[in-house]
Amino acid sequence: MARKQNEKIVSLEEFQEKIDRDEKIEPKDSMPEAYRKTLIRQIGQHAHSEVVGMLPEGNWITRAPTLRRKLSLLAKVQDEAGHGLYLYCAAETLGKSRMEMTQELLSGKAKYSSIFNYPTPTWADIGAIGWLVDGAAIMNQIPLCRCSYGPYARAMIRICKEESFHQRQGYEIMLTLAKGTKAQKEMAQRALNRWWWPSVMMFGPNDADSPNTENSVKWKIKRYTNDELRQKFVDAIVPQAEKIGLTVPDKDLKWDKKRNNGKGGYAYGEINWDEFWRVVRGDGPMNKERISAKQKAWNEGSWVRAAAHAHALKKQTALQAAE
Amino acid sequence: MKINTADMVFEGLLRIADDNLILGHRTSEWCGHAPTLEEDLALPNIALDLIGHAQTLYCLACEVNSRYKNEDQLAFLRLEHEYKNLLLVEQENGDFGNTVLRLFYFSTFMKYFWEKVKIKCCFTKLKEFSEKAFLETSYHSKYASQWVITLGDGTDESNLKMSNAIANLEPFLGELFNNDDFTEMCSQNDFLPEPTSIFDSWKDEVKAILQKGNLDFPDIILKKRGGRKGEHSEAFGYLLSDLQYMQRAYPNSSW
């Protein structure tokens, strides 16, 4: 027993040394259970977010204002399905099947990004999601391209390229609206008002309240803390909003030369953590609708999946008989 | 029937563009609601191709008709009776089986249609476009045919659902192959193939695929029609109110 414990400690140390040498961990490498679990949870949540994220944007495909916008939105939502697929595959390399992860999403056990529990009542919300939500996602995800787990890091390289395209697309929608008629500009401002705070919350709780951060940083799954990333996001977005004549809905927003180790950055107002936790716990504006939509699609598609399974078995049997 | 060449080209392009736009619209409704994540990727991808075809065709139509300044005016700002799509493509999706069966019928038709345009078409730009359109519709037909076989052959339940889909879509198939004065003129002028000229190839292929899925080939008799004349089903009005919402609510705006 004692010997076994010793071995485990040694292997943990070796594991950490490998991480410290910036070597990638690959699926068949030995890894601490906590590392595996953290990654399964994180990659699974990320995959679910891509899949649930198709809903708020997808509902504007049929109403997009021009053919060009419709085609871009279709391509974007399709990219998200693709991201979901890569990420489920990356998580599967850690030993959890897509079916299990899907069941956890549908039962409400698994989380996805709370941002998708907000509604998209207007076309401008599509611009705001691209600009702010994809913008925040990129801040989070670019460091993940250097994540210690190989399959996740490699998936993130492609995902980040596509996300940065989505962000430019979203900003361009907002720019066009901001330059447009009075009604269009108002639509853009209202969407910014709706999405600003939920986007700022996307980075998760303050560092002091983020229990998973320490290990994740040590294992190079995470390279920056929640608050560091949030600051980067605010600093990037505020000048972009000013450039197109929209107002960030935060009366406490001001330049603070002490931020970012004296390089300067924006100080921002108090985040409404009650709202954040309320939405995480399932009481956001659209939590029930999003999960019901996924459950409905899953239930209505069960006969299709059963038929595909039966057909594949028949084909296999016929092949074996022919051999 | 006597109309000038520009009008003939305009009307001909509009018919194909409207078919593609409206089926693209219906297909895009699946986004996020498909039975598997793979299908959530495939269906928007096909919708993207269909709407992309419509966009190109509307642009070509604007080149021959100065009344319309751009493709969006054609796609979003006509009245219901000015859309010339087939009734088949505007019907509600129904279940996944009904959706893939309709896609199979339509894309197989369009595959042979574009194949003929590739060989002979007096309108050079359309002839050039047909190369790409042929490849893409061939892929759509292949994709949908695999699902028709899978669902037909899969389980008793899926076979029954596919038989119901065949019965459901049957009344709309006659219109796909209906020649009228206009299609005859297009064919005489080497512009577009006559729908009936596609029937045999279509029938052979569709019959073979349905057979592989243990499904019966439907009767093709002209039953429901009107789309080509702008006479649409009730479902079409709801589709247009979605499609046109932004352009109608915020007129004369740039997007």
Side-chain angles (χ1 to χ4, degrees):
Chain A
M1 194 67 187
R3 207 174 132 229
K4 212 171 179 185
Q5 269 181 353
N6 272 345
E7 270 178 7
K8 204 174 176 190
I9 292 163
V10 170
S11 97
L12 255 177
E13 280 170 356
E14 276 176 354
F15 180 78
Q16 190 60 49
E17 281 166 16
K18 199 171 170 185
I19 299 266
D20 294 341
R21 288 195 301 272
D22 269 337
E23 279 178 39
K24 289 273 181 266
I25 308 301
E26 296 298 336
K28 287 182 180 160
D29 295 350
S30 91
M31 61 186 86
E33 226 15 63
Y35 177 84
R36 186 186 296 277
K37 274 192 180 154
T38 301
L39 275 167
I40 289 178
R41 183 179 50 86
Q42 183 172 336
I43 303 174
Q45 281 182 9
H46 190 168
H48 298 327
S49 304
E50 298 281 357
V51 169
V52 177
M54 293 173 75
L55 297 171
E57 292 180 277
N59 83 47
W60 274 93
I61 291 171
T62 56
R63 292 175 292 167
T66 65
L67 289 176
R68 179 175 155 256
R69 293 294 185 200
K70 195 186 281 288
L71 292 168
S72 315
L73 183 57
L74 263 168
K76 183 190 173 186
V77 179
Q78 185 199 325
D79 283 349
E80 281 158 8
H83 298 172
L85 272 178
Y86 301 149
L87 290 164
Y88 282 128
C89 290
E92 283 191 315
T93 64
L94 291 157
K96 189 160 186 172
S97 71
R98 199 209 305 180
M99 183 60 96
E100 273 179 276
M101 288 183 273
T102 304
Q103 295 298 354
E104 286 180 3
L105 171 70
L106 296 174
S107 70
K109 189 181 167 205
K111 298 283 178 219
Y112 54 89
S113 181
S114 274
I115 196 81
F116 299 117
N117 291 319
Y118 288 86
T120 50
T122 71
W123 170 249
D125 294 274
I126 301 307
I129 288 187
W131 176 32
L132 303 174
V133 176
D134 291 326
I138 292 167
M139 292 288 171
N140 256 324
Q141 291 169 6
I142 284 182
L144 290 173
C145 298
R146 294 187 294 131
C147 158
S148 59
Y149 188 57
Y152 194 25
R154 290 188 287 274
M156 289 317 299
I157 292 172
R158 176 159 177 186
I159 291 176
C160 281
K161 279 185 193 160
E162 293 180 350
E163 293 291 1
S164 92
F165 184 68
H166 298 165
Q167 202 228 354
R168 285 202 295 274
Q169 225 172 48
Y171 186 56
E172 203 252 326
I173 290 176
M174 293 303 264
L175 169 74
T176 309
L177 293 174
K179 282 197 310 194
T181 62
K182 188 168 170 275
Q184 284 176 302
K185 189 169 178 182
E186 282 170 7
M187 192 200 298
Q189 182 62 53
R190 280 197 295 269
L192 173 57
N193 296 349
R194 273 194 290 277
W195 289 92
W196 172 255
W197 287 110
S199 302
V200 171
M201 291 178 202
M202 269 179 78
F203 298 92
N206 287 132
D207 294 348
D209 305 317
S210 177
N212 298 320
T213 295
E214 196 190 329
N215 265 346
S216 289
V217 170
K218 188 177 83 185
W219 285 332
K220 295 189 180 171
I221 296 172
K222 246 177 135 158
R223 299 266 176 171
Y224 300 97
T225 67
N226 295 353
D227 288 331
E228 284 169 340
L229 291 166
R230 191 171 1 252
Q231 185 66 48
K232 274 176 189 258
F233 172 75
V234 174
D235 291 345
I237 298 293
V238 171
Q240 290 174 2
E242 279 171 5
K243 202 171 165 186
I244 58 175
L246 296 179
T247 309
V248 171
D250 177 1
K251 60 181 174 24
D252 297 322
L253 192 74
K254 58 173 187 283
W255 184 255
D256 175 3
K257 58 186 181 189
K258 287 189 211 141
R259 296 231 163 187
N260 296 320
N261 298 320
K263 285 185 216 144
Y266 285 93
Y268 48 89
E270 191 68 24
I271 293 169
N272 182 348
W273 292 113
D274 288 344
E275 175 182 327
F276 175 79
W277 290 115
R278 198 169 59 239
V279 183
V280 168
R281 279 195 304 266
D283 285 330
M286 299 293 284
N287 296 55
K288 287 193 180 66
E289 288 83 347
R290 298 292 182 240
I291 286 301
S292 314
K294 292 317 295 180
Q295 285 168 343
K296 183 168 182 277
W298 185 254
N299 294 339
E300 287 178 358
S302 69
W303 71 273
V304 175
R305 295 188 303 276
H309 185 66
H311 176 66
L313 281 180
K314 284 185 197 174
K315 259 174 52 177
Q316 203 180 12
T317 314
L319 263 177
Q320 280 165 353
E323 272 168 12
Chain B
M1 188 183 187
K2 279 200 171 165
I3 55 171
N4 68 38
T5 311
D7 288 345
M8 173 188 76
V9 171
F10 181 74
E11 169 78 14
L13 291 171
L14 217 55
R15 288 184 175 198
I16 328 167
D18 289 346
D19 284 346
N20 279 281
L21 175 69
I22 302 305
L23 187 60
H25 182 104
R26 285 296 188 211
T27 308
S28 78
E29 290 174 352
W30 274 98
C31 191
H33 308 284
T36 69
L37 190 50
E38 282 77 358
E39 272 29 76
D40 255 339
L41 214 156
L43 292 172
N45 187 277
I46 289 169
L48 192 62
D49 287 345
L50 293 169
I51 297 169
H53 290 186
Q55 185 187 34
T56 304
L57 296 165
Y58 288 136
C59 286
L60 293 178
C62 288
E63 287 180 21
V64 297
N65 188 333
S66 55
R67 242 186 85 200
Y68 294 95
K69 63 181 193 306
N70 60 40
E71 71 272 26
D72 288 328
Q73 201 184 345
L74 280 168
F76 297 95
L77 289 168
R78 280 175 293 152
L79 299 174
E80 181 179 294
H81 68 270
E82 293 171 309
Y83 286 83
K84 299 297 173 65
N85 56 279
L86 296 161
L87 297 181
L88 175 73
V89 297
E90 74 193 34
Q91 300 309 307
E92 286 173 15
N93 283 328
D95 63 20
F96 182 75
N98 195 70
T99 302
V100 289
L101 181 66
R102 171 173 58 185
L103 180 64
F104 174 55
Y105 285 158
F106 179 76
S107 54
T108 307
F109 177 88
M110 287 311 290
K111 174 176 76 170
Y112 292 115
F113 178 91
W114 289 121
E115 190 177 50
K116 283 182 182 286
V117 175
K118 256 175 29 158
I119 297 164
K120 194 166 71 179
C121 177
C122 63
F123 188 44
T124 315
K125 285 184 179 172
L126 188 68
K127 196 164 185 273
E128 285 166 2
F129 173 69
S130 65
E131 301 275 345
K132 171 185 148 91
F134 170 73
L135 289 176
E136 291 182 356
T137 44
S138 303
Y139 163 74
H140 303 163
S141 165
K142 177 94 187 154
Y143 165 85
S145 73
Q146 284 168 346
W147 270 116
V148 170
I149 297 170
T150 301
L151 297 175
D153 178 62
T155 61
D156 289 347
E157 184 191 7
S158 69
N159 183 274
L160 180 66
K161 281 185 189 280
M162 290 311 282
S163 300
N164 291 343
I166 289 173
N168 183 38
L169 295 174
E170 191 232 48
F172 302 100
L173 288 176
E175 193 182 30
L176 197 56
F177 300 101
N178 188 35
N179 286 0
D180 56 20
D181 288 350
F182 180 75
T183 58
E184 276 166 26
M185 185 179 67
C186 289
S187 161
Q188 278 159 15
N189 286 283
D190 290 341
F191 173 44
L192 298 174
E194 278 206 273
T196 44
S197 70
I198 293 163
F199 184 70
D200 287 344
S201 318
W202 182 90
K203 185 182 170 188
D204 289 347
E205 181 164 343
V206 169
K207 212 171 190 170
I209 295 293
L210 291 179
Q211 213 161 38
K212 283 189 189 176
N214 308 314
L215 296 163
D216 295 329
F217 185 78
D219 289 333
I220 315 280
I221 305 162
L222 189 58
K223 286 186 180 165
K224 296 200 179 189
R225 65 174 147 173
R228 294 298 191 216
K229 289 183 181 166
E231 295 157 9
H232 295 281
S233 349
E234 276 185 359
F236 192 58
Y238 294 99
L239 186 153
L240 284 192
S241 42
D242 245 11
L243 178 72
Q244 299 190 338
Y245 165 60
M246 290 299 288
Q247 290 276 348
R248 297 291 184 197
Y250 301 87
N252 305 315
S253 308
S254 296
W255 301 100

